[in-house]
Amino acid sequence: MTDLEIARSVPHKHIFEVAQSLGIHSDDLIPFGRYKAKIAPTLGERIQNRPLGRYILVTAINPTPLGEGKTTTSIGLSMGLCRLGHRAAVTLRQPSLGPVFGIKGGGTGGGRAQVHPMEDINLHFTGDAHAVSASHNLLSAFVDNHLFHGNTLKVDPKGIRWPRTLGVSDRALRDILLGEETGRRPGKFVITEASEVMAVLALATDHADLRQRLGRILIGLTEGGQMVRAEEFGCAGSMAVLLKDALLPNLVQTLEGTPAFVHAGPFGNIAHGNCSIVSDRLALRCADYVVTEAGFGSDLGAEKFFNIKCRTSGLRPDVGVVVATLRALKLHGGGGIVKSGAPLPPGVTGPNQAALEQGFANLEQHIANVRAHGVPVVVAVNAFKDDSTDELNWVCERALEGGASAAAVSTHWSDGGRGAEELARAVVKVAAQGTQFSPLYEVTSPIKKKIETIATTIYGAAGVSFSPQAERDVELATRLGFDRLPICMAKTPLSLSHDPAVKGRPSGFTVPIQELRILAGAGFLTAVCSGIQLMPGLPKKPAGERIDVDPQSGQIVGLQ
């Protein structure tokens, strides 16, 4: 059965019943049909004095292009915790239309570890992503309208840093010309999940904070080198209006009825890669255990979770779950070359102890990355159908030697929550041991020092190089007073290094920083490594070619 067929074969609870399992009243919901709802602001006020539950972060090793099941593990773990009698919830990012119609397909899990309704969540859901695009592009329109009507702010057109955004992958829009024949200027599009407005939505703690962050967005510089912010164009209030409902978390359910908060969608490689603070805060007041997923490996989403999201929210993680698969470990051990759209080679999918042992070093680095923040680690070995039991057990044993507090094999994809019970037991045990969480660096450190700390500690690099443009960007950010912001690294997820072709646990390399972007509204600086694009392109055979509407039933087909 396909993921879509599995999802349709399972009976689902009414969203009121799902909410009730967390002590959420129907009056606290704004329903969107039977199976999805937004959480009204009244809930936060009513439960603000409840104790916080345990906070569990799910991250992973560097994946194959197919992904290693981080989302399915998050969903399966939350269901496994419920099966053990705990009140649990999962918090996830919203899927992006780019991957849905591009390379990876949908982002709602798979097999028996999915969130429902998968079709709605993968497509328009409750309209949050569209609201982000509209808010972002409204500001873009106001900026160009200001230039057209005389430019009284004396904005330097060459210094405008604000792009436009689109929710699907389209490489043709990476570089464009704006304006009429006279007064044209270069521009660009970024995908919606790379928009600063999406980052703001995910990090805002309430409507007042959202409004302030939107007003602080840096558009560019005047001819005299002074900052020009969104507030000065007079549209920050309108932007906040477009996002008023989008700030409210979305509640859905897993295939086993476990509550799932799916809200905000910044990518893990080019943005901060985590779901919203407001959804995590609500979930932690309602559940004993909250499982949240950070995008890609510990070198990306988890590092940003620890050093950006947790700084803003004030929340402290209790456990870090690092997902690994035999196929990814063998890839990192030289088991074969993997290309998007091509079948995995036998050296990656079949028995290959030599490659497994060689590639284990990648997992060791990811264990060390989580532990570098004072957070204990549980390794989750996501098992596929034909995986060797001996190899799975070997990884668990080696993980304990490599610094993990516990390790477990999980079969949630095929068995749902039942297949994640062993993992859930391990997480409960380790969570009870306490955490010594602390960020990796002080925000008061110089910009270059913070970037170098991430590169050397988390990636294993020997150092960092800065292009002439990046040097100018660092100087500008420092001059404008943004040098005390945390860093959001934009790099490939396929390697610990900046080069996707370099596997395993490399050393001695230098991370090249191409540019530094000031995201004053979001509250961080984005250091962009060479080769990174903020607007993805479609592959030769996009996933969208498989998606259609059945003319007889009217149902969606081909969505994965």
Side-chain angles (χ1 to χ4, degrees):
M1 295 175 69
T2 66
D3 291 343
L4 189 54
E5 290 170 338
I6 291 172
R8 288 173 177 165
S9 71
V10 175
H12 304 291
K13 298 178 181 178
H14 194 287
I15 196 63
F16 287 175
E17 185 180 354
V18 176
Q20 190 176 40
S21 69
L22 291 179
I24 300 175
H25 303 159
S26 59
D27 290 345
D28 295 319
L29 300 180
I30 304 170
F32 282 66
R34 293 177 56 85
Y35 303 118
K36 53 185 177 177
K38 280 193 168 291
I39 307 292
T42 52
L43 177 64
E45 300 167 4
R46 185 167 62 80
I47 65 173
Q48 60 183 340
N49 294 323
R50 288 186 187 176
L52 293 172
R54 299 287 193 187
Y55 201 21
I56 304 159
L57 173 71
V58 176
T59 182
I61 64 173
N62 295 103
T64 68
L66 302 178
E68 306 319 302
K70 194 168 62 281
T71 302
T72 62
T73 301
S74 301
I75 296 166
L77 174 56
S78 70
M79 297 189 300
L81 288 164
C82 286
R83 289 177 65 90
L84 297 182
H86 303 289
R87 178 181 281 189
V90 62
T91 63
L92 302 170
R93 292 171 298 148
Q94 295 178 217
S96 165
L97 293 179
V100 167
F101 294 104
I103 295 177
K104 292 185 69 175
T108 54
R112 298 288 171 181
Q114 298 186 53
V115 283
H116 174 81
M118 71 91 81
E119 295 151 281
D120 293 358
I121 298 169
N122 277 312
L123 299 175
H124 304 292
F125 202 15
T126 57
D128 295 347
H130 300 311
V132 169
S133 293
S135 178
H136 180 119
N137 289 329
L138 179 68
L139 177 55
S140 301
F142 267 61
V143 170
D144 281 287
N145 186 60
H146 179 86
L147 297 179
F148 179 82
H149 286 291
N151 193 12
T152 57
L153 291 174
K154 304 298 182 183
V155 180
D156 179 3
K158 295 180 181 178
I160 293 175
R161 296 165 172 257
W162 191 248
R164 280 163 166 78
T165 194
L166 184 71
V168 297
S169 301
D170 190 347
R171 64 172 56 84
L173 296 178
R174 289 172 179 169
D175 294 291
I176 60 173
L177 278 179
L178 296 169
E180 301 179 19
E181 290 187 9
T182 58
R184 285 194 172 185
R185 67 178 181 86
K188 64 179 61 180
F189 276 75
V190 300
I191 197 165
T192 298
E193 286 67 29
S195 162
E196 183 174 357
V197 176
M198 181 65 84
V200 165
L201 181 71
L203 293 172
T205 54
D206 53 34
H207 280 102
D209 185 35
L210 174 70
R211 175 63 179 82
Q212 291 171 4
R213 287 174 178 271
L214 293 172
R216 293 201 303 263
I217 290 174
L218 179 65
I219 299 303
L221 302 175
T222 67
E223 295 169 356
Q226 301 302 307
M227 290 185 289
V228 186
R229 300 179 185 263
E231 195 69 59
E232 297 173 75
F233 291 91
C235 73
S238 293
M239 293 171 69
V241 167
L242 288 173
L243 296 169
K244 180 178 71 71
D245 293 336
L247 184 62
L248 305 179
N250 305 300
L251 180 66
V252 289
Q253 63 188 293
T254 72
L255 294 189
E256 296 182 8
T258 301
F261 294 79
V262 182
H263 191 220
F267 282 164
N269 58 335
I270 55 180
H272 70 77
N274 287 271
C275 67
S276 72
I277 286 176
V278 291
S279 62
D280 282 5
R281 282 183 168 178
L282 286 176
L284 285 164
R285 296 290 182 188
C286 293
D288 300 322
Y289 292 89
V290 173
V291 181
T292 191
E293 175 200 9
F296 292 115
S298 73
D299 53 322
L300 287 170
E303 184 271 309
K304 298 167 188 179
F305 172 86
F306 294 134
N307 295 297
I308 296 176
K309 186 177 181 180
C310 289
R311 287 185 196 273
T312 302
S313 69
L315 300 171
R316 297 168 59 88
D318 293 285
V319 181
V321 176
V322 178
V323 179
T325 60
L326 297 184
R327 68 184 189 183
L329 291 172
K330 292 170 185 176
L331 171 67
H332 287 289
I337 298 174
V338 176
K339 297 181 180 179
S340 297
L344 294 173
V348 170
T349 57
N352 193 340
Q353 185 66 30
L356 187 61
E357 292 181 13
Q358 183 71 21
F360 187 82
N362 186 268
L363 174 56
E364 287 182 309
Q365 179 68 57
H366 289 281
I367 293 172
N369 287 348
V370 176
R371 293 187 63 191
H373 297 86
V375 179
V377 174
V378 175
V379 169
V381 188
N382 181 22
F384 291 86
K385 178 183 176 183
D386 297 322
D387 283 348
S388 162
T389 300
D390 289 342
E391 289 184 338
L392 292 168
N393 292 336
W394 182 89
V395 173
C396 289
E397 293 169 3
R398 280 292 304 275
L400 298 178
E401 297 172 9
S405 298
V409 175
S410 187
T411 59
H412 49 271
W413 190 91
S414 57
D415 300 322
R418 179 170 58 86
E421 287 184 18
E422 182 183 354
L423 175 61
R425 290 189 184 94
V427 166
V428 170
K429 183 177 179 180
V430 174
Q433 297 173 4
T435 181
Q436 302 296 322
F437 171 71
S438 63
L440 184 67
Y441 54 81
E442 297 294 333
V443 290
T444 53
S445 296
I447 293 171
K448 286 188 175 181
K449 178 64 175 177
K450 288 181 282 196
I451 294 173
E452 289 167 357
T453 298
I454 295 170
T456 56
T457 304
I458 303 300
Y459 308 160
V464 178
S465 66
F466 294 85
S467 72
Q469 180 61 55
E471 293 280 5
R472 292 191 292 270
D473 293 340
V474 169
E475 182 180 350
L476 176 64
T478 303
R479 178 175 71 81
L480 296 178
F482 296 116
D483 52 316
R484 295 196 170 193
L485 294 180
I487 303 297
C488 177
M489 298 291 289
K491 80 167 189 74
T492 178
L494 299 178
S495 171
L496 282 165
S497 76
H498 60 283
D499 183 350
V502 177
K503 304 302 181 184
R505 189 180 189 178
S507 62
F509 61 94
T510 299
V511 176
I513 304 301
Q514 191 66 29
E515 61 177 309
L516 185 79
R517 302 186 176 195
I518 302 170
L519 281 74
F524 55 74
L525 304 173
T526 296
V528 183
C529 295
S530 298
I532 290 297
Q533 294 287 350
L534 302 190
M535 169 55 82
L538 292 170
K540 187 174 182 179
K541 297 287 290 183
E545 292 184 2
R546 302 189 300 263
I547 300 173
D548 208 333
V549 176
D550 185 286
Q552 303 301 320
S553 66
Q555 289 188 321
I556 296 171
V557 294
L559 184 62
Q560 296 180 349

